[in-house]
Each structure stands twice: as C-alpha cells, then as structure tokens.
Amino acid sequence: MTKRPTGRLFPAEAGKDLVLIRTYRAPIGDVWASVTESDRTARWFGPWVGEPGPGRTIKVQMAFEDDQPWMELHIDACEPPHRLAMSAIDDAGAWRLEVVLAEVADITELRFSHHLPTDTEIAQLPQVGPGWEYYLDMLEAARSGTDRPDFGEYYPAMQQYYEQLSD
C-alpha cells in the first residue's frame, strides 16, 4: 500500500512552515498526553528525561532511529492542552517544531508545524517531510494499538512529493 503525503508548505513570518494535520476521535487531554508524557512518546517517537516546562531543556531519545540517539529539546512554549513549541540544534541543523491541538465535538485535530526560516532548511524537505509523515503515523499506530508503519513506505517513496513542494 502506498502512503499518500499530507504535508503542505505555507508562507511564514520567516521562511515557510511545513504543516501536517492529523485528527483523532479522542478528547484533547488524551491526545496532549500522547505528545507530552514520556511513557506515551516512547511508543511512537522516544522517551524523554528532564524537568519539563517553558524555558527548560529535556533530553529525548529518538528510539526509532539508527543507534537510538539522544537529543536536547528546548521547550519554547507549553500551553496545556493546546500548544507545545520546541527547538533543537543538532548535526542536521536547527529544528523549530510546534504542535497545536484543537477539539471540536469529540474530534481532536493535531496541527504539527516544522518552521523552516531559511532556504537551506526548506531544501531539506525531501528528507524531513517523509520523516514527519512517518512519525505522525507512528503516533496514530501507538494510539490505536495497530502495527507500526514501515519507513520504506515513506522514504524514498514521498521524496519526490517533498522535492516538488520545496520548489
């Protein structure tokens, strides 16, 4: 089965924002817990350690990457249960990420944004776009108790879509 990419690129104050949206038939508090509680993030992204809160830095293990590396994430904003903004710097560059949740009639929408302020970061879309698709589908699998998706369905399969998106 071929996965269909969902990411869209929007103009932003600085550069562009890659935005992916997922919906869940669940209360907002439950979805918030899936993206903020270490035992639940461990199921789809990786566990984290540290003292959370705005202005603080936690360490996150990328449990589904080769060698399961740890990375530091700075919590730029945390407004439960609606908004979480984080940033990191690693060998691949700077990462500015944001999750915004909204609930309407038992449906919670998760809006994930990867802020791409420079042309260099926008040029990385063919690599990072499929990865975010994969991780958000991993979140769905963790929440529903279904099998994890196969990364091969995302990369390189979605690479061309994200190349065209970044042009």
Side-chain angles (χ1 to χ4, degrees), residues 69-91:
W70 287 84
M71 68 182 286
E72 290 188 348
L73 272 180
H74 183 266
I75 301 170
D76 301 318
C78 183
E79 302 160 9
H82 297 284
R83 180 173 174 255
L84 177 63
M86 301 160 292
S87 57
I89 297 177
D90 65 11
D91 294 340

Side-chain angles (χ1 to χ4, degrees), residues 6-81:
T6 63
R8 301 288 180 260
L9 206 55
F10 294 97
E13 194 173 302
K16 307 227 178 195
D17 286 347
L18 172 63
V19 176
L20 297 102
I21 296 173
R22 299 293 191 270
T23 57
Y24 306 96
R25 186 170 294 284
I28 193 169
D30 185 54
V31 178
W32 178 259
S34 292
V35 298
T36 60
E37 294 178 6
S38 181
D39 64 322
R40 295 189 64 183
T41 62
R43 299 176 200 164
W44 65 275
F45 191 82
W48 58 267
V49 296
E51 185 65 35
R56 295 191 172 146
T57 299
I58 59 171
K59 287 189 174 193
V60 178
Q61 184 178 28
M62 300 184 70
F64 301 96
E65 299 287 328
D66 293 339
D67 301 326
Q68 299 184 339
W70 287 84
M71 68 182 286
E72 290 188 348
L73 272 180
H74 183 266
I75 301 170
D76 301 318
C78 183
E79 302 160 9

